[in-house]
Amino acid sequence: MGGFDIAALRAEIADRVDPAARIGASGIVIDGFTFIIRHGAMGPVVTTVVARTSMRISSEE
């Protein structure tokens, strides 16, 4: 069965962000993507930041 393997993507991101998280960084840029790292009681939480583009989606038809 084909499809997107989200678990593999999350594991890859975790592996690449981990060194920055270990030294207490609040963010890192990898391959042009920005990842924000929040350090909480249960460990780091990573958020991917997607740059806003000039392309807008309108709900008007």
Side-chain angles (χ1 to χ4, degrees):
M1 178 177 201
F4 189 78
D5 188 349
I6 192 70
L9 176 62
R10 287 180 175 160
E12 176 70 19
I13 291 171
D15 287 345
R16 300 202 50 203
V17 170
D18 185 60
R22 287 181 182 271
I23 62 170
S26 60
I28 187 170
V29 177
I30 301 172
D31 296 335
F33 292 93
T34 301
F35 299 92
I36 301 301
I37 306 167
R38 290 180 289 141
H39 299 273
M42 297 186 67
V45 175
V46 177
T47 302
T48 306
V49 177
V50 178
R52 185 177 189 178
T53 66
S54 60
M55 184 169 134
R56 296 189 181 208
I57 299 173
S58 174
S59 61
E60 299 175 14
E61 297 190 42

